[in-house]
Structure formats: C-alpha cells, structure tokens
Amino acid sequence: MGRLSRLSLHLRLSLRVRLLLGIVLPLLVAVLLTMTAVLATIEQRAEQRMQQDIELIAHAIQLPVSYSMERDRRGSVHQALESVFQLDQVYGAYVYDSDGEQIAAVGAVRPRHEPDIVQDVTLTGEDEAGQYEEIDGRDVYSHYVALTDDATGQIIGWLQVTRRASDFEEHRQEVQRQMLAGLLAGTVVVLLLVMVGHHRAVGRYLGPLSGIMSRIEKGERGVRADVDGPRELSMLARSLNTMLDAIERAEQEIQERRNTQLELEERLRHSEKLAAIGRLAAGIAHELGAPLSVVDGRARRLLKAESESLSLKEQGNLKDIRHEVQRMSHIVRQLLDFGRASSRERRPIDSASLVDSSVEQVRELAEARAVSLQLDGERPGPTLEVDRIRIEQVLVNLLRNGIQAEGVSRLKVQWQAEDEGVCFTVEDDGRGIDPEDMPRLFEPFFTTKSVGEGTGLGLAVVHGIVNEHHGWIRAEDSELGGACFRLCLPVRIEREEER
Ligand code: ADP
C-alpha cells in the first residue's frame, strides 16, 4: 500500500468518531437548544414569581399603613415598614404622601428624590405599578401601591417595596448553573453509552477482523476470521474467509501446475540426454561391430584350419580372444539396442503370450541359477498394440536382472488390465535395491555389478522402449523382499499423440 493511501486511511475518521459526530453531536445541539428555550421560560416564570412575592408583601401592609396614614400615626407607619423589612426578599420599603414627599423609609438605600413613577401612576389613575429602577446607584425592582382613604377612597399616599435586581440575576445564574451541570452530566453519560454501545455491538468484532486483515496483508494465508458478531460483520468475515479459501486453492493449483511443469521439463531434459547418448552409442557400436566380427571370424578360422600346427597355449590364447570378442559383441549389441531409433512396427498382441515368449528366453539361465519362475495373469491376457520384439526385450532385461540379482530364488511375473492400459510387474525375493541407487537406476552405464559383468545399459534400454510406447516404469520394494519393477503401457498409441 502506498504511503499516500496509508495517510488518507489514517486521516479517515473511525466509526466511533463518526457515530459521535453524526449522532451524539446533533443530539447535544438539539438538547442545548431545547434547554435554552426551557431556561428562558423558567427564568421568566421565576422573575414573575419573585415580582409577585414583592407585590404580595406590599399588599399585606397596604391596609395597616393606609390606616396609620389616615390617623397620621407616623410611628405605626414606620413599624409596619420595619415588619416587612424583616423579610429576606425585601430590600427597602418607603412611604410617600400624596404629593410624593417621602414620610417613612426603611432599607439599605433610600431614594433621595421623589420617584417619577408616583407621578406617572397618579396621572394614569392606576393604583399600583411595578418597575426596575435605580436607587442610589443600586438596581432594584420596586412595586408601588396607592394608599387610600378608607372613607373617601382618595389616594393619600404611596407605598414602595423594593427588592434587589441582583436577586433575579443570582437566581437566573443558579438555574443556568444547574442546567449546565445537568447538560454536562448528560453529555458524559451519552458519550459513555455510545462508546460502550459501539464497543459491544461493533468494536469488539471489528478489532479482531482488522487484526486478521493486517496479518493477511503481511502475507499470512492460513488465518481465518471469526464469524461471530452482528449479521453484517459476520457476513463480511464469511466472505473474507471464502475469498481466502479461494486464494489458497488457486495458489495450490498454481504450485501443482508449476511442479508438474518442472517434472515434465526434467523428463524432457532426461529424454533428450538419453537420446543424445543413444545416438553416440549407436555410432560407436556401428563402427565397432564390423572390426569385431572380422577379429572373431579370423580367430575362429585360425582355430579350425591350423588346430594341428598350433600349440595348446596358442589355441588357448585364440579361445580367450574369441571369448573376449564375444563379450564385446554383446556390449555392442546392447549399445545398438539402446541407440536404436524407435520402431513403428506395432501390432495387437496378447500380453500373456508376450510374457511367455520372454520367459522362454531366460528359462535356461533361471534353471542354471535355481530360480523358480511364477507367472500370474489372465489367459488370454489383455491385448496390446506394441512392437513385440522391443517389449519382449524389456521383459527379458527385467527377468534377467532379477535372476542375476543377489540372493534370488523366486521370481514372479504378473500382468493385468488397468485404467492406464496393461501393467506388468516383475519382482523377486533377493536383496533388493539400495534407496540411494533408486534415482540413478535407469541412467545409462549405471551398474553395481563388477567390471565385465554388467554394462549398466539393460534398464536404460528398458526405459527407452517404455517411453517409446508412451508408458511408464518405476522400481520399488517388493512384498517378496527384493526388487519390484512395475510398468504400464497404453493399449494403443493414437496417431495424433504419437506425432
Ligand atoms: P546391469 O545389469 O548391466 O548392471 P542394468 O541397467 O540392467 O545394468 O541394471 C542397473 C543396476 O540396477 C544393476 O547393476 C543393479 O544394481 C540394479 N538392479 C537391476 N535389477 C535389479 C534387481 N532385480 N535386484 C537388485 N538390483 C537390481
């Protein structure tokens, strides 16, 4: 992943932050707006109630003060004022005569001049009023009530009861403080609820899922996501697992194909190598064949014609020459077999009769070595379209190897039809083949026999002929204890395939 896309990934908001921004923030804004509206109403009500308190207090002493004013009892007026001043809400109480002249006053501050309201109210004919005003530099709320003569109903003065304006402000601040604290506590609770809810519903499943994904990114292919959690996430995990399975299968297939290709290439190289060696061997054998038969012919003629004149020692030497020449001819024949170009002389033939004719060729050798031969297969056997001489040579080479192998007393040959064609097994009860020799067994000139006994061409010839017939051969351990050679040949080679 590029650095830029990584950076943009980091800059993207997490689901939790998105939830907070998308749900909690609008919720809080809505709550804040509602609370502001509610606060305004509460404040208005509270203010009205506080004004009503002052109004009630004023009304409570209106009558006694009027009474005392009628009778000009200033002391009683003062007493009445004193009595309301005891109340917490009251900041000051003042009485004016009908001309607005202050005649009694209690309280922290006193108005130095006649309040305008007295005139205003008098002019409008009202008998009470309330207003905010400033008395001696202090903000207050005053309620004015008219003092009337009991008998005539005429206004004889005014009663003013005041309350500090800051009382309202303090009350408002207190309400605001409480609401803010409630809002804060509510916000914290909502935040916690959203975070816990997110963790329980999504976060605890998303964490392991993204952990798995980063492990996959690092190259781990064996990991699989847990399919627990809410439906969407479990579907995501399931799809991820299916995708990983598919990738694993595809990788396995690719690996298998690569292995098959490597194997094919190796076999092709091997076949090409064998073909080159075969051509070389055939060339040498061809050149050696003629001189060897000349040497053998001369030695034979000399032995025949001059036998009387030759000493015994000379006769012995000539016999040795013939023996060695015959051995060389055998090698040359094998070389020719190995290098011979593939034949196209294929005819249908019964596999049982192929085995019989091959066994006949080695029977004498088997008897000489006291090896018993056991043949096991259907008669007539499955039919094969092959070059009879070449396939006989394959079986003879395998049989001869078996008879000659160390410690062999029993040799078993089997044939049967299988899916791949007709298969033959030649196995013995000898010492078997060393595991380290197995890979080199079919190589030309590989032999474990001592010099003069083996050429190492027998199995190479076998391999060449089997390949030529598009079959396969392999060596393995036999249940009898020795070696087992198993080969299969297709019943017929299609012309297309051959080409
Ligand atoms: P050669 O028989 O001339 O050595 P081959 O190509 O026929 O050449 O055989 C190669 C080698 O395979 C033999 O030297 C022997 O070690 C081994 N071999 C073949 N057949 C058998 C068998 N039936 N049991 C044990 N070893 C065997």
Side-chain angles (χ1 to χ4, degrees), residues 394-416:
V394 166
L395 293 172
V396 167
N397 282 5
L398 294 178
L399 286 165
R400 191 176 285 137
N401 273 346
I403 295 166
Q404 287 175 342
E406 228 175 296
V408 173
S409 63
R410 201 174 138 210
L411 198 66
K412 185 171 159 190
V413 187
Q414 282 175 294
W415 62 95
Q416 65 188 42

mmCIF file of all heavy atoms in Angstrom, residues 394-416:
data_model
loop_
_atom_site.group_PDB
_atom_site.id
_atom_site.type_symbol
_atom_site.label_atom_id
_atom_site.label_comp_id
_atom_site.label_asym_id
_atom_site.label_seq_id
_atom_site.Cartn_x
_atom_site.Cartn_y
_atom_site.Cartn_z
ATOM 1 N N VAL A 394 12.249 -55.703 -23.206
ATOM 2 C CA VAL A 394 12.023 -55.070 -21.894
ATOM 3 C C VAL A 394 11.851 -56.149 -20.838
ATOM 4 O O VAL A 394 12.531 -56.160 -19.802
ATOM 5 C CB VAL A 394 10.755 -54.166 -21.951
ATOM 6 C CG1 VAL A 394 10.301 -53.776 -20.557
ATOM 7 C CG2 VAL A 394 11.027 -52.929 -22.780
ATOM 8 N N LEU A 395 10.927 -57.102 -21.106
ATOM 9 C CA LEU A 395 10.639 -58.127 -20.107
ATOM 10 C C LEU A 395 11.857 -59.018 -19.866
ATOM 11 O O LEU A 395 12.176 -59.377 -18.726
ATOM 12 C CB LEU A 395 9.434 -58.966 -20.555
ATOM 13 C CG LEU A 395 8.102 -58.182 -20.577
ATOM 14 C CD1 LEU A 395 6.992 -59.007 -21.204
ATOM 15 C CD2 LEU A 395 7.706 -57.775 -19.171
ATOM 16 N N VAL A 396 12.580 -59.357 -20.955
ATOM 17 C CA VAL A 396 13.771 -60.211 -20.804
ATOM 18 C C VAL A 396 14.817 -59.509 -19.939
ATOM 19 O O VAL A 396 15.392 -60.112 -19.022
ATOM 20 C CB VAL A 396 14.342 -60.579 -22.202
ATOM 21 C CG1 VAL A 396 15.749 -61.176 -22.073
ATOM 22 C CG2 VAL A 396 13.431 -61.556 -22.912
ATOM 23 N N ASN A 397 15.037 -58.228 -20.191
ATOM 24 C CA ASN A 397 16.026 -57.483 -19.388
ATOM 25 C C ASN A 397 15.641 -57.486 -17.911
ATOM 26 O O ASN A 397 16.487 -57.680 -17.035
ATOM 27 C CB ASN A 397 16.145 -56.048 -19.877
ATOM 28 C CG ASN A 397 16.982 -55.935 -21.131
ATOM 29 O OD1 ASN A 397 17.405 -56.966 -21.687
ATOM 30 N ND2 ASN A 397 17.237 -54.725 -21.603
ATOM 31 N N LEU A 398 14.355 -57.270 -17.630
ATOM 32 C CA LEU A 398 13.912 -57.236 -16.232
ATOM 33 C C LEU A 398 14.042 -58.618 -15.594
ATOM 34 O O LEU A 398 14.498 -58.749 -14.444
ATOM 35 C CB LEU A 398 12.457 -56.749 -16.133
ATOM 36 C CG LEU A 398 12.202 -55.300 -16.555
ATOM 37 C CD1 LEU A 398 10.710 -54.971 -16.464
ATOM 38 C CD2 LEU A 398 12.985 -54.332 -15.667
ATOM 39 N N LEU A 399 13.658 -59.641 -16.371
ATOM 40 C CA LEU A 399 13.740 -61.015 -15.838
ATOM 41 C C LEU A 399 15.198 -61.401 -15.587
ATOM 42 O O LEU A 399 15.533 -61.964 -14.535
ATOM 43 C CB LEU A 399 13.122 -61.998 -16.844
ATOM 44 C CG LEU A 399 11.588 -61.968 -16.937
ATOM 45 C CD1 LEU A 399 11.108 -62.682 -18.192
ATOM 46 C CD2 LEU A 399 10.983 -62.623 -15.703
ATOM 47 N N ARG A 400 16.062 -61.052 -16.553
ATOM 48 C CA ARG A 400 17.472 -61.416 -16.420
ATOM 49 C C ARG A 400 18.087 -60.739 -15.207
ATOM 50 O O ARG A 400 18.798 -61.363 -14.426
ATOM 51 C CB ARG A 400 18.227 -61.046 -17.698
ATOM 52 C CG ARG A 400 19.620 -61.647 -17.724
ATOM 53 C CD ARG A 400 20.333 -61.381 -19.019
ATOM 54 N NE ARG A 400 19.838 -62.200 -20.114
ATOM 55 C CZ ARG A 400 19.614 -61.755 -21.345
ATOM 56 N NH1 ARG A 400 19.823 -60.478 -21.620
ATOM 57 N NH2 ARG A 400 19.170 -62.560 -22.291
ATOM 58 N N ASN A 401 17.765 -59.454 -15.038
ATOM 59 C CA ASN A 401 18.270 -58.726 -13.861
ATOM 60 C C ASN A 401 17.838 -59.416 -12.575
ATOM 61 O O ASN A 401 18.601 -59.543 -11.629
ATOM 62 C CB ASN A 401 17.738 -57.287 -13.852
ATOM 63 C CG ASN A 401 18.614 -56.352 -14.650
ATOM 64 O OD1 ASN A 401 19.738 -56.713 -14.996
ATOM 65 N ND2 ASN A 401 18.097 -55.174 -14.952
ATOM 66 N N GLY A 402 16.555 -59.826 -12.555
ATOM 67 C CA GLY A 402 16.009 -60.488 -11.363
ATOM 68 C C GLY A 402 16.748 -61.786 -11.085
ATOM 69 O O GLY A 402 17.130 -62.064 -9.935
ATOM 70 N N ILE A 403 16.931 -62.589 -12.140
ATOM 71 C CA ILE A 403 17.587 -63.895 -11.957
ATOM 72 C C ILE A 403 19.028 -63.698 -11.479
ATOM 73 O O ILE A 403 19.528 -64.426 -10.621
ATOM 74 C CB ILE A 403 17.552 -64.706 -13.279
ATOM 75 C CG1 ILE A 403 16.104 -65.054 -13.641
ATOM 76 C CG2 ILE A 403 18.388 -65.975 -13.181
ATOM 77 C CD1 ILE A 403 15.913 -65.551 -15.062
ATOM 78 N N GLN A 404 19.673 -62.648 -12.030
ATOM 79 C CA GLN A 404 21.094 -62.427 -11.700
ATOM 80 C C GLN A 404 21.293 -61.712 -10.362
ATOM 81 O O GLN A 404 22.397 -61.697 -9.838
ATOM 82 C CB GLN A 404 21.747 -61.597 -12.807
ATOM 83 C CG GLN A 404 21.967 -62.415 -14.084
ATOM 84 C CD GLN A 404 22.493 -61.553 -15.222
ATOM 85 O OE1 GLN A 404 22.388 -60.336 -15.178
ATOM 86 N NE2 GLN A 404 23.054 -62.208 -16.237
ATOM 87 N N ALA A 405 20.219 -61.122 -9.819
ATOM 88 C CA ALA A 405 20.391 -60.342 -8.588
ATOM 89 C C ALA A 405 20.762 -61.264 -7.426
ATOM 90 O O ALA A 405 20.446 -62.451 -7.428
ATOM 91 C CB ALA A 405 19.097 -59.592 -8.267
ATOM 92 N N GLU A 406 21.412 -60.656 -6.445
ATOM 93 C CA GLU A 406 21.939 -61.429 -5.313
ATOM 94 C C GLU A 406 20.818 -62.009 -4.458
ATOM 95 O O GLU A 406 19.841 -61.313 -4.163
ATOM 96 C CB GLU A 406 22.766 -60.481 -4.436
ATOM 97 C CG GLU A 406 24.118 -61.057 -4.086
ATOM 98 C CD GLU A 406 24.919 -60.032 -3.319
ATOM 99 O OE1 GLU A 406 25.244 -58.972 -3.900
ATOM 100 O OE2 GLU A 406 25.173 -60.290 -2.140
ATOM 101 N N GLY A 407 20.956 -63.281 -4.091
ATOM 102 C CA GLY A 407 20.032 -63.921 -3.139
ATOM 103 C C GLY A 407 18.657 -64.218 -3.676
ATOM 104 O O GLY A 407 17.717 -64.410 -2.901
ATOM 105 N N VAL A 408 18.507 -64.280 -5.001
ATOM 106 C CA VAL A 408 17.165 -64.516 -5.555
ATOM 107 C C VAL A 408 16.924 -66.008 -5.750
ATOM 108 O O VAL A 408 17.782 -66.718 -6.289
ATOM 109 C CB VAL A 408 16.988 -63.771 -6.893
ATOM 110 C CG1 VAL A 408 15.663 -64.143 -7.548
ATOM 111 C CG2 VAL A 408 17.044 -62.270 -6.670
ATOM 112 N N SER A 409 15.757 -66.490 -5.262
ATOM 113 C CA SER A 409 15.404 -67.891 -5.504
ATOM 114 C C SER A 409 14.017 -67.965 -6.141
ATOM 115 O O SER A 409 13.606 -69.001 -6.613
ATOM 116 C CB SER A 409 15.411 -68.668 -4.185
ATOM 117 O OG SER A 409 14.431 -68.131 -3.333
ATOM 118 N N ARG A 410 13.336 -66.835 -6.147
ATOM 119 C CA ARG A 410 11.973 -66.841 -6.669
ATOM 120 C C ARG A 410 11.716 -65.560 -7.459
ATOM 121 O O ARG A 410 12.091 -64.468 -7.023
ATOM 122 C CB ARG A 410 11.041 -66.883 -5.463
ATOM 123 C CG ARG A 410 9.680 -67.385 -5.771
ATOM 124 C CD ARG A 410 8.932 -67.509 -4.465
ATOM 125 N NE ARG A 410 7.588 -67.012 -4.654
ATOM 126 C CZ ARG A 410 6.863 -66.458 -3.735
ATOM 127 N NH1 ARG A 410 7.346 -66.296 -2.520
ATOM 128 N NH2 ARG A 410 5.650 -66.058 -3.998
ATOM 129 N N LEU A 411 11.087 -65.729 -8.605
ATOM 130 C CA LEU A 411 10.801 -64.561 -9.457
ATOM 131 C C LEU A 411 9.335 -64.647 -9.873
ATOM 132 O O LEU A 411 8.866 -65.708 -10.296
ATOM 133 C CB LEU A 411 11.695 -64.633 -10.700
ATOM 134 C CG LEU A 411 11.888 -63.352 -11.489
ATOM 135 C CD1 LEU A 411 12.658 -62.321 -10.676
ATOM 136 C CD2 LEU A 411 12.681 -63.650 -12.768
ATOM 137 N N LYS A 412 8.637 -63.523 -9.722
ATOM 138 C CA LYS A 412 7.197 -63.572 -10.027
ATOM 139 C C LYS A 412 6.867 -62.522 -11.091
ATOM 140 O O LYS A 412 7.304 -61.375 -10.992
ATOM 141 C CB LYS A 412 6.443 -63.261 -8.735
ATOM 142 C CG LYS A 412 4.952 -63.393 -8.852
ATOM 143 C CD LYS A 412 4.371 -63.280 -7.444
ATOM 144 C CE LYS A 412 2.925 -62.905 -7.461
ATOM 145 N NZ LYS A 412 2.444 -62.584 -6.134
ATOM 146 N N VAL A 413 6.107 -62.937 -12.101
ATOM 147 C CA VAL A 413 5.698 -62.006 -13.161
ATOM 148 C C VAL A 413 4.171 -61.945 -13.164
ATOM 149 O O VAL A 413 3.516 -62.975 -13.139
ATOM 150 C CB VAL A 413 6.185 -62.479 -14.552
ATOM 151 C CG1 VAL A 413 5.907 -61.410 -15.601
ATOM 152 C CG2 VAL A 413 7.648 -62.841 -14.530
ATOM 153 N N GLN A 414 3.647 -60.724 -13.182
ATOM 154 C CA GLN A 414 2.182 -60.566 -13.207
ATOM 155 C C GLN A 414 1.791 -59.623 -14.336
ATOM 156 O O GLN A 414 2.583 -58.745 -14.711
ATOM 157 C CB GLN A 414 1.719 -59.925 -11.896
ATOM 158 C CG GLN A 414 1.672 -60.887 -10.739
ATOM 159 C CD GLN A 414 1.323 -60.142 -9.450
ATOM 160 O OE1 GLN A 414 2.107 -59.328 -8.989
ATOM 161 N NE2 GLN A 414 0.168 -60.430 -8.894
ATOM 162 N N TRP A 415 0.606 -59.794 -14.860
ATOM 163 C CA TRP A 415 0.085 -58.855 -15.871
ATOM 164 C C TRP A 415 -1.418 -58.707 -15.676
ATOM 165 O O TRP A 415 -2.087 -59.645 -15.271
ATOM 166 C CB TRP A 415 0.440 -59.331 -17.293
ATOM 167 C CG TRP A 415 -0.163 -60.657 -17.656
ATOM 168 C CD1 TRP A 415 -1.320 -60.872 -18.320
ATOM 169 C CD2 TRP A 415 0.382 -61.944 -17.355
ATOM 170 N NE1 TRP A 415 -1.551 -62.200 -18.461
ATOM 171 C CE2 TRP A 415 -0.505 -62.898 -17.868
ATOM 172 C CE3 TRP A 415 1.546 -62.401 -16.689
ATOM 173 C CZ2 TRP A 415 -0.302 -64.268 -17.759
ATOM 174 C CZ3 TRP A 415 1.751 -63.765 -16.592
ATOM 175 C CH2 TRP A 415 0.838 -64.689 -17.114
ATOM 176 N N GLN A 416 -1.917 -57.528 -15.949
ATOM 177 C CA GLN A 416 -3.369 -57.310 -15.834
ATOM 178 C C GLN A 416 -3.760 -55.985 -16.494
ATOM 179 O O GLN A 416 -2.920 -55.088 -16.637
ATOM 180 C CB GLN A 416 -3.813 -57.313 -14.376
ATOM 181 C CG GLN A 416 -3.248 -56.169 -13.565
ATOM 182 C CD GLN A 416 -3.565 -56.350 -12.093
ATOM 183 O OE1 GLN A 416 -3.463 -57.462 -11.557
ATOM 184 N NE2 GLN A 416 -3.922 -55.256 -11.452
#
